[in-house]
Amino acid sequence: MNVEKTTGEILRESREKKGLLLRQVAALLDIDTAILSKVERGERKATKEQIIKLADILDLRKDELLIHYLSEKIAYELLDEDVASQTLKVAEQRVKYLKAHRR
Amino acid sequence: MNVEKTTGEILRESREKKGLLLRQVAALLDIDTAILSKVERGERKATKEQIIKLADILDLRKDELLIHYLSEKIAYELLDEDVASQTLKVAEQRVKYLKAHRR
DNA sequence: TCTAAATTTGACACTTAATGTCAAGTATAA
DNA sequence: TTATACTTGACATTAAGTGTCAAATTTAGA
């Protein structure tokens, strides 16, 4: 997983590679061009639903894009914590525990 | 790190061990008793500031409690994703990358 | 048991963050 | 140029987070 590119960069590159305009993709997402522009430049975050649609529109692997997007979101949430790495390790254990003990 | 207890359970146990009342701790946090009750029972999330104050009030290690709290928050955010574990692994790489390349 | 204190519950108010639109501005390229 | 694409910033709307209050319930001691 490429951790050096932002989700926005991936989206922009993919869109340009397909020769699509912001306007066109935004229309498919049913949002204003301005938002998509901001998403691609990292000024705004997309919603999960938009990411899923974008994967479809841009022929990207849905799971990969989702992991990219979610991990970026979480990384930014924790970036200012100096316990960030430990938190993520514990979070992994928690997820494992919670999924096993699903009520 | 104990991943089987919720943050709320830890807070309640610690408070009771000290013989403090909800009313008393809530007053120190400057919130209504109702909120603290809900936090301890997992019906509401505390804020980060409240967690830090609680560590002080209840003589808990601040970093440990914070990791507990943050990891729980993140685990719940991802619990419904079937890419949860992968996301957390990638998030770790991201944090490492972002911290190294801090602008 | 009685009853006072502690806790829980739910309706609601307030604030902040997220998500979006719009229109005017800037950049690009034919 | 000038038309098209993109960006910017002010603002509106909506959703989520955080809180209060008062009534209901539970708990524990006399």
Side-chain angles (χ1 to χ4, degrees):
Chain A
M1 179 77 45
N2 177 4
V3 105
E4 301 185 14
K5 277 187 193 162
T6 65
T7 304
E9 284 166 352
I10 288 174
L11 294 175
R12 174 146 294 185
E13 285 171 14
S14 305
R15 176 176 63 80
E16 290 177 342
K17 196 165 291 174
K18 300 210 85 169
L20 295 170
L21 300 176
L22 274 181
R23 172 161 52 75
Q24 300 174 306
V25 175
L28 291 171
L29 293 177
D30 198 33
I31 55 171
D32 195 280
T33 304
I35 294 180
L36 186 54
S37 168
K38 286 169 187 170
V39 165
E40 288 186 350
R41 288 171 299 104
E43 194 186 310
R44 287 267 183 115
K45 261 184 341 194
T47 66
K48 188 185 164 188
E49 288 63 38
Q50 288 163 354
I51 289 295
I52 290 170
K53 283 192 197 170
L54 283 166
D56 188 40
I57 294 167
L58 303 175
D59 284 321
L60 297 170
R61 288 203 6 85
K62 179 189 146 187
D63 279 4
E64 261 185 48
L65 188 61
L66 204 52
I67 290 169
H68 209 279
Y69 161 78
L70 290 170
S71 65
E72 185 174 89
K73 194 150 85 82
I74 287 175
Y76 275 104
E77 267 179 56
L78 290 182
L79 198 56
D80 293 328
E81 304 289 346
D82 39 57
V83 294
S85 295
Q86 294 162 79
T87 295
L88 288 169
K89 286 192 207 314
V90 177
E92 277 190 69
Q93 297 176 243
R94 271 193 194 292
V95 164
K96 195 180 272 183
Y97 178 79
L98 289 171
K99 291 208 170 183
H101 297 75
R102 229 6 171 322
R103 298 113 308 191
Chain B
M1 179 77 46
N2 176 5
V3 104
E4 303 186 12
K5 276 186 195 164
T6 66
T7 304
E9 284 166 350
I10 289 174
L11 293 175
R12 173 145 296 185
E13 286 171 14
S14 305
R15 176 176 63 79
E16 289 178 343
K17 195 166 289 173
K18 301 208 85 170
L20 294 169
L21 300 177
L22 276 180
R23 173 164 51 75
Q24 300 174 308
V25 175
L28 291 171
L29 293 177
D30 199 32
I31 56 172
D32 195 282
T33 304
I35 294 181
L36 187 54
S37 168
K38 285 168 187 170
V39 166
E40 288 186 349
R41 287 172 300 105
E43 194 186 310
R44 286 267 184 113
K45 262 186 338 198
T47 67
K48 188 185 165 190
E49 288 62 38
Q50 288 163 354
I51 289 295
I52 290 169
K53 282 192 196 170
L54 282 166
D56 188 40
I57 294 167
L58 303 175
D59 285 319
L60 296 170
R61 286 201 10 83
K62 180 188 145 186
D63 279 3
E64 262 187 46
L65 189 61
L66 205 51
I67 291 170
H68 208 279
Y69 162 78
L70 291 171
S71 64
E72 185 175 271
K73 194 149 87 80
I74 288 176
Y76 274 105
E77 268 180 55
L78 291 182
L79 198 54
D80 292 329
E81 304 290 346
D82 41 57
V83 294
S85 295
Q86 295 162 79
T87 295
L88 288 169
K89 286 192 208 312
V90 177
E92 277 189 69
Q93 297 175 242
R94 273 195 192 291
V95 163
K96 195 181 272 184
Y97 178 79
L98 289 171
K99 290 208 171 186
H101 298 74
R102 231 2 173 322
R103 297 117 305 197

